[in-house]
């Protein structure tokens, strides 16, 4: 079942909702992150990431500072820059990037090795601690940046660096007698090698990625072998001696990929790994690996996914827990994990275009990923809980990982550049082109140039999504006519989608398949398609096994999950409830939420009257009287933009 | 406001509910713990505690094993043995205890110092790390055991050891130029010194206890000074270097006692400390210290107490968190903390007899303390959550401290002997005698001999408490008549208490004061008092600021808090709800809960039908249909005696 992608379609994004984010990325996030990488942001933890390269390049004296994976902050920024340059020229930005690339090249060792931590701190310890030390992870991000920069600019300097590094890695790792049988503790290079292979057509890169994937979790275990070889030293002491080596499920190395049946361990590692596996499975046509990906996907999305598209229920190891365990207040739900979930979903769509993948992609993108960044583009959440009470945060260590307001930058600064590179490459997530079928996964205003069924077409998509559900498509281009399928995703949240072609209604149900409405016909230039996705406000409830959410509902309208905030509803949000019969009204937000559709309804406040009774437990039935209160819900992604306060997604229904 | 206790009343316990526990303590717990201390219990972590004394005494070669406070397991066991011997002679047990006492004496150093950890492992490091290393804590438990053993047997061997140790400590610590200005990181010796003072009338012991209390939290801080002196070493690495030294609130050393206004830090430390302070305040008449105790009590009981009488909402540091933070599933609620709460409440009652202290004492005793031990007397909970789902426990690290079934013994074995010594000395918690007033705090069948208003009286108390609320008292004895007040506690849970004297009803309301019904009259031998405490099943709700419990109720009948268990109600207890109108029926339990009053009611099960829908989130309103289900509640203390399963105290009301 080998499937290959056809010509990459050319997409130009033009969308009222996303244009604002793209402007933020371009004008605020990328410049701000550049300042941060150079330690010029006050009140943020210093990064030292650029300095590390200077020191490794011999251009400066000093010590390495920061995490063992600090290099990746630079290459992720470069990748985000590449997407900017692909959208529009920016000579100054490109010049800065070229300087950074030259610096990276100067830090590369004669044999191709490239990692500032080991080069500066422990050159003899290269490749001795794959389980913990992120060398292959950093290589992966460098490769991703190189591919993106090459595709954006045509320049090969960074691609050449990446190829030299990859060639070095390809010599070091493999089944040969002199080679190491290892694989990364933090997956990332697998997905990067797939991109490098597609950019270069060099089959060694595909084979190397496949080796890493297939070697993973084999016995005798590589982590144990290298641990013994280096004299039982370990890098991360946080959870006890050598915990990261011993807890092999933490890095999804507890079993070979084909034997893994649940989503376990560090959420970002899991999702980067399976993004690579899904890509590999498509490129090689390996059916067993494809099934393995779908098995993990099913467990993750049907058993362990937050309604906001967040992944990872616990702070310990930034990791998944077990089926149906979804605490709202202690959630980890790292921004990067939702970015990675979007990437995994895209690879699965490319493997097998089914709407359920895009449904989750959309949920993660419009909720947790967007929540990761403030509306000012300068503050970021690493952790995305679904319930916050600032008064409790400082009081209990179980909230040590939770913040009530976004922070400027992080010592471990993975999330901000991950948001930048995802939102900067949103073009890659909207459409999927097959031989005679064009899939539309996301309703993002854009102009597509592509070749379908042998003919060039231009597709224009316009809407006021995610606020309104009407999406207009218009075909034009060189081709006067041609037969192919336009596959429009029917979102899982939409109860009654409607389609009109050239003003004429089409019956959707008979055309619906795997989450898409398959419009197959002889298309003409000038054809117009109107997709109508009614967006009623919906109450979501959970699977009955979810203990934490019994008796509670969350609101969703279109792709957006909503929440209550103290700014609109006062304190003690837990005392608010939604009667089963409540109706919702859409209202326009006020600054800074001007663009936002808010939801209002008649709710109840319980125990409201601030009883003078100081007792902790009462028999007084009067204390349970409820009084009417108008409730205002805002989209989850927009919370914590109006000062510190309580927030809550799941609300008692009573 | 100096108040002193009068002649200690002599109490003999005889109560159908408690006799069974006392028999367990005598026949199972104390022998079992003796085996454990000698490492003869299979499937339990070895203690090595007796061996440590043998090694310290030079009777055996070897290394010290176990915690830095391992000695206290032995002395707490000895204290429990003392209470047994006070109840009834047991020559074999007493002979064993005398052997242990001789062994302890042999381990005592010529200068009086006594601690096996330092004697064996680090004799030069004595008294160099008070913040972390429990020497004074262990001394406290030795003193408590010595006082109890002396009072039970009249033998002075252990008392002499304790006095030699205390005299040594009194030389080492104090304001003198050659003395250390320190105080224990883990309080305990303060309360022990008060007992030693009362047993010996030696004022130096009172003064030493007062010194430790008043020195606590002073600046410059002793923990920092000794940390610098010993070269910045630390004993406990678990939460980062020197965390226990830096986090001074952890051991209530962040401020002087008189400046502390909230219950913070390690729960057992807090409660041992304030037990000692309350005792000291009574003995010295220090009004400021008394107010400080009440301030901490109020914060603890009105803001941070679990409905089960559990204390400590977080595993991190086994500690309190902040006001109104009472998560059910991640609760710590250490058994020892509730034992200590009972002790603190008793000292406050002795300082100022108000029913609210006894209300909490009763709540802790009948719920968390009893829950700490299985009905077989062989298994113990260290941690007492209010909600458990065994399926989730192994899956999330936030439940690392939680067990769904009681364990046999613990590496840190503080809880089992603490239960044994509290239940073994229950006599001391029932009555309080003042000049012309006899308070009854607890309704525990017993016979009291005491002197009130100058005359000897015998009071017989009988009931079927906690299952039935009728308690019968009968006065007899040498005195034919005399005027005094019999003060019967009116529990906070009882809406309409009734009193009859010699069959004649008494109007309670005019006699009620500070939680007691004050029956003042000229009593005659032969007088009978009947207290009637109706025990309707009550729904408890929380203060509106408690986020976790909004919309939920707990059931209480008499002093007992109830819970749902899977054994009676099936899985997914979170889907069960109590309609606001449900009525409760009392039924007799089946083995092993034969003695137990269970509660039955007509409840609802939501999302019950096990929909084939695998999706995690649903819009389907049909999934929220509720079906009737008969619900069975059992007393919380009796949970986890019928195999592993779910348990839940707080239930949705809908």
């Amino acid at each position: 079942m080998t499937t290959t992608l056809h010509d990459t379609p050319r997409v130009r994004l033009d969308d009222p909702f996303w244009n604002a984010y793209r402007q933020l990325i371009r004008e605020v996030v990328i410049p701000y992150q550049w300042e941060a990488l150079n330690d010029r942001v006050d009140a943020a933890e210093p990064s030292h990431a650029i300095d590390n390269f200077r020191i490794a390049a011999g251009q400066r004296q000093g010590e390495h500072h920061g995490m063992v994976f600090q290099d990746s902050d630079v290459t992720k920024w470069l990748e985000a820059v590449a997407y900017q340059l692909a959208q529009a020229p920016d000579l100054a930005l490109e010049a800065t990037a070229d300087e950074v690339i030259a610096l990276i090249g100067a830090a590369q060792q004669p044999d191709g090795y490239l990692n500032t931590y080991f080069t500066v701190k422990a050159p003899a310890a290269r490749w001795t601690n794959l389980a913990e030390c992120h060398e292959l992870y950093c290589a992966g991000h460098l490769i991703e940046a190189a591919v993106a920069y090459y595709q954006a600019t045509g320049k090969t300097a960074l691609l050449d660096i990446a190829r030299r590094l990859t060639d070095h890695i390809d010599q070091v790792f493999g089944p040969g007698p002199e080679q190491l049988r290892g694989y990364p503790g933090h997956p990332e290079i697998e997905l990067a090698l797939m991109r490098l292979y597609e950019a270069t057509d060099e089959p060694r890169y595909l084979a190397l990625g496949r080796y890493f994937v297939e070697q993973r979790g084999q016995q005798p275990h590589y982590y144990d072998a290298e641990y013994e070889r280096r004299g039982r030293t370990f890098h991360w002491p946080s959870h006890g001696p050598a915990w990261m080596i011993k807890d092999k499920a933490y890095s999804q190395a507890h079993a070979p990929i084909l034997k893994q049946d649940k989503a376990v361990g560090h959420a970002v590692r899991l999702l980067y790994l399976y993004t690579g596996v899904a890509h590999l499975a498509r490129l090689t046509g390996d059916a067993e690996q494809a099934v393995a990906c779908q098995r993990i996907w099913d467990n993750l999305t049907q058993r362990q996914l937050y309604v906001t598209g967040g992944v990872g229920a616990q702070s310990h190891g930034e990791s998944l827990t077990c089926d149906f365990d979804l605490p709202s207040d202690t959630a980890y739900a790292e921004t990067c994990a939702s970015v990675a979930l979007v990437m995994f979903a895209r690879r699965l769509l490319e493997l097998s275009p089914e709407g359920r993948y895009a449904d989750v992609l959309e949920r993660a993108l419009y909720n947790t990923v967007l929540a990761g960044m403030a509306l000012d583009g300068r503050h970021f959440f690493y952790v995305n809980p679904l319930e916050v009470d600032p008064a409790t945060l400082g009081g209990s260590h179980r909230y040590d990982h939770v913040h009530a307001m976004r922070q400027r930058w992080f010592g471990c600064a993975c999330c901000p550049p991950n948001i930048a590179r995802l939102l900067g490459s949103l073009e890659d997530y909207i459409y999927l082109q097959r031989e005679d079928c064009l899939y539309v996964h996301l309703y993002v205003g854009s102009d597509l140039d592509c070749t379908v069924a042998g003919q060039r077409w231009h597709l224009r998509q316009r809407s006021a999504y995610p606020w309104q559900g009407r999406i207009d498509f218009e075909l034009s281009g060189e081709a006067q006519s041609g037969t192919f399928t336009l596959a429009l995703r029917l979102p899982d949240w939409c109860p009654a989608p409607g389609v009109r072609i050239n003003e004429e209604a089409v019956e959707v149900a008979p055309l619906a398949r795997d989450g898409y409405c398959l419009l197959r016909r002889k298309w003409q230039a000038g054809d117009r398609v109107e997709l109508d996705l009614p967006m009623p406000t919906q109450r979501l409830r959970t699977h009955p096994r979810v203990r934490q959410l019994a008796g509670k509902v969350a609101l969703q309208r279109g792709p957006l999950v909503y929440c209550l905030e103290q700014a609109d509803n006062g304190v003690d949000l837990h005392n608010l409830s939604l009667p089963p019969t409540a109706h919702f009204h859409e209202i326009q937000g006020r600054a800074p939420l001007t663009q936002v559709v808010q939801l209002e309804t008649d709710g109840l406040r319980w125990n409201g009257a601030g009883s003078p009774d100081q007792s902790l437990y009462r028999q007084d039935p009067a204390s349970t009287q409820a009084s009417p209160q108008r409730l205002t819900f805002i989209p989850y992604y927009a919370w914590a933009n109006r000062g510190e306060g309580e927030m809550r997604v799941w609300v008692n229904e009573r």
Side-chain angles (χ1 to χ4, degrees), chain A:
Chain A
M1 53 170 270
T2 305
T3 56
T4 50
L5 288 180
H6 296 267
D7 300 354
T8 307
R10 291 214 347 259
V11 184
R12 180 154 297 276
L13 191 142
D14 186 7
D15 181 281
F17 182 80
W18 289 106
N19 285 352
Y21 278 98
R22 303 272 282 211
Q23 186 178 352
L24 266 186
I25 299 290
R26 182 172 65 248
E27 296 179 0
V28 177
V29 180
I30 287 180
Y32 178 82
Q33 294 183 352
W34 175 243
E35 295 303 296
L37 290 171
N38 286 279
D39 307 329
R40 293 190 294 252
V41 174
D42 293 340
E45 302 178 35
S47 157
H48 209 258
I50 294 290
D51 263 357
N52 288 338
F53 277 100
R54 290 203 185 96
I55 295 162
Q59 299 174 2
R60 179 169 293 188
Q61 295 292 308
E63 288 302 307
H64 183 280
H65 287 289
M67 301 283 185
V68 69
F69 48 81
Q70 206 77 351
D71 290 359
S72 63
D73 291 350
V74 176
T75 46
K76 283 158 78 180
W77 177 82
L78 270 179
E79 187 184 344
V81 168
Y83 299 132
Q84 286 309 310
L85 299 178
Q87 292 163 34
D90 181 334
L91 293 181
L93 182 62
E94 188 167 335
T96 303
D98 285 339
E99 281 175 36
V100 173
I101 290 165
L103 175 62
I104 292 173
Q108 189 164 35
Q109 302 300 295
D111 61 358
Y113 183 84
L114 180 49
N115 182 294
T116 71
Y117 180 90
F118 283 93
T119 297
V120 174
K121 289 186 90 148
R126 277 186 191 185
W127 309 127
T128 58
N129 189 348
L130 299 186
E132 296 184 298
C133 284
H134 292 74
E135 281 160 296
L136 292 172
Y137 167 89
C138 288
H141 276 302
L142 186 136
I143 294 166
E144 284 206 273
V147 170
Y149 202 78
Y150 164 67
Q151 289 171 338
T153 64
K155 293 179 177 174
T156 60
L158 190 57
L159 191 67
D160 291 342
I161 294 168
R163 293 190 68 157
R164 279 197 299 274
L165 171 58
T166 307
D167 293 342
H168 170 71
I169 293 169
D170 191 38
Q171 286 188 317
V172 172
F173 295 93
E178 301 296 312
Q179 288 179 301
L180 299 176
R181 276 157 187 67
Y183 46 88
H186 195 317
E188 153 67 23
I189 195 170
E190 299 86 345
L191 76 89
L193 287 169
M194 298 306 111
R195 294 182 70 177
L196 185 61
Y197 164 68
E198 291 193 314
T200 63
D201 281 330
E202 169 54 63
R204 281 191 297 109
Y205 300 153
L206 178 68
L208 181 60
R210 185 175 193 163
Y211 180 78
F212 285 142
V213 166
E214 294 183 351
Q215 193 62 16
R216 191 166 206 88
Q218 300 292 347
Q219 293 294 345
H221 206 284
Y222 187 80
Y223 294 175
D224 296 327
E226 65 170 5
Y227 179 59
E228 297 299 330
R229 272 203 300 273
R230 70 175 180 268
R232 301 196 180 192
T233 60
F234 55 91
H235 186 86
W236 299 101
S238 50
H239 301 305
W243 72 273
M244 203 182 278
I245 295 136
K246 294 172 188 164
D247 180 6
K248 297 185 172 64
Y250 168 78
S251 51
Q252 300 83 40
H254 55 299
I257 299 291
L258 298 184
K259 305 263 187 189
Q260 296 187 15
D261 59 354
K262 290 212 173 187
V264 298
H266 185 268
V268 174
R269 291 174 199 236
L270 174 85
L271 290 162
Y272 279 7
L273 172 62
Y274 278 92
T275 297
V277 176
H279 200 156
L280 174 68
R282 176 172 62 77
L283 292 174
T284 63
D286 188 313
E288 285 187 314
Q289 286 177 347
V291 168
C293 290
Q294 281 149 2
R295 201 160 50 222
I296 296 300
W297 174 270
D298 287 347
N299 177 258
L300 179 69
T301 59
Q302 295 178 11
R303 295 292 180 267
Q304 302 195 66
L305 185 70
Y306 282 101
V307 71
T308 50
V311 184
Q314 65 185 338
S315 165
H316 186 111
E318 307 179 312
S319 59
L320 290 135
T321 57
C322 56
D323 290 0
F324 304 116
D325 180 46
L326 294 161
S328 291
D329 57 347
T330 57
Y332 202 74
E334 185 180 338
T335 305
C336 284
S338 291
V339 168
L341 179 61
V342 168
M343 291 161 46
F344 183 30
R346 174 185 158 195
R347 298 310 192 285
L348 285 168
L349 284 168
E350 291 168 355
L351 190 56
S352 170
E354 297 169 38
R356 62 198 182 105
Y357 301 129
D359 289 335
V360 170
L361 190 164
E362 184 179 71
R363 181 177 294 281
L365 176 65
Y366 280 90
N367 297 287
T368 296
V369 171
L370 281 190
M373 185 168 74
L375 297 178
D376 68 5
R378 287 180 171 83
H379 299 83
F380 301 89
F381 275 133
Y382 194 104
V383 163
N384 295 280
L386 284 76
E387 173 185 334
V388 166
D389 175 7
T392 319
L393 289 189
S396 167
H397 282 287
R398 71 185 186 288
Y399 299 125
D400 281 352
H401 58 295
V402 180
H403 291 280
M405 290 293 288
R406 294 175 184 83
Q407 309 292 297
R408 297 204 69 153
W409 192 256
F410 303 94
C412 172
C414 51
C415 297
N418 245 349
I419 294 173
R421 68 194 188 114
L422 175 60
L423 299 194
S425 62
L426 209 53
E427 290 86 346
D428 299 339
Y429 296 82
I430 304 171
Y431 301 101
L432 174 70
Q433 188 188 345
R434 284 288 173 78
E435 177 63 45
D436 66 344
C437 181
L438 177 64
Y439 289 90
V440 184
H441 300 318
L442 290 183
Y443 298 114
V444 174
S446 50
D447 292 89
L448 167 73
D449 289 297
C450 63
T451 302
V452 193
Q455 292 187 299
R456 298 292 298 169
W457 290 95
H458 180 89
L459 179 69
R460 177 183 165 89
Q461 177 185 175
R462 290 295 181 275
S463 73
Y465 205 82
W467 310 118
Q468 294 174 33
R470 170 165 168 172
I471 300 107
D472 292 304
F473 297 91
E474 185 172 349
L475 277 168
S476 59
E478 301 161 15
Q480 286 302 306
S481 73
T483 298
F484 67 90
T485 302
L486 180 64
L488 301 181
R489 180 175 145 253
L490 302 173
D492 59 352
W493 51 259
C494 186
V499 172
R500 296 163 68 90
I501 300 179
N502 298 329
E503 315 272 310
E504 197 172 319
V506 172
E507 202 182 346
V508 172
L511 305 178
R513 187 164 157 204
D514 288 339
Y516 291 84
C517 178
L518 303 181
L519 302 173
R520 184 168 188 85
R521 55 184 277 156
K522 187 167 186 180
W523 293 99
Q524 312 275 343
D527 278 349
R528 294 187 314 284
V529 179
E530 180 187 322
L531 174 65
D532 187 39
L533 301 173
M535 289 185 170
T537 300
Q538 294 171 319
R539 290 163 192 256
L540 296 185
R541 299 175 182 87
T542 61
H543 191 288
R545 298 255 30 229
V546 180
R547 183 161 48 93
Q548 293 94 351
L549 302 179
K552 292 184 163 60
V553 292
L555 298 187
Q556 181 169 342
R557 180 179 178 274
L560 298 174
V561 174
Y562 278 70
C563 68
L564 290 169
E565 263 204 319
Q566 181 178 328
D568 302 305
N569 302 287
V571 296
D572 293 343
L573 297 178
H574 53 272
N575 286 329
L576 300 176
S577 80
L578 269 174
T581 54
H583 293 285
F584 301 94
H585 306 276
E586 300 162 10
I587 58 164
Q588 197 69 23
R590 288 190 303 275
L593 308 180
T594 323
Q595 303 306 319
V596 159
V597 174
Q598 301 183 347
L599 302 175
E600 274 194 358
T601 189
D602 290 320
L604 294 172
R605 179 175 281 274
W606 299 74
N607 308 304
S611 154
D613 184 358
Q614 286 298 303
S615 64
L616 197 47
Y617 302 104
R618 299 109 188 258
Q619 301 147 21
D620 177 18
S623 72
T624 64
Q625 293 299 315
S627 52
Q629 179 174 328
R630 193 83 179 158
L631 305 184
T632 302
F633 291 79
I634 66 162
Y636 172 77
Y637 81 80
W639 83 279
N641 280 291
R642 296 175 294 173
E644 185 173 286
E646 293 181 34
M647 183 276 291
R648 168 175 287 261
V649 170
W650 290 95
V651 182
N652 279 346
E653 186 176 56
R654 59 192 306 216

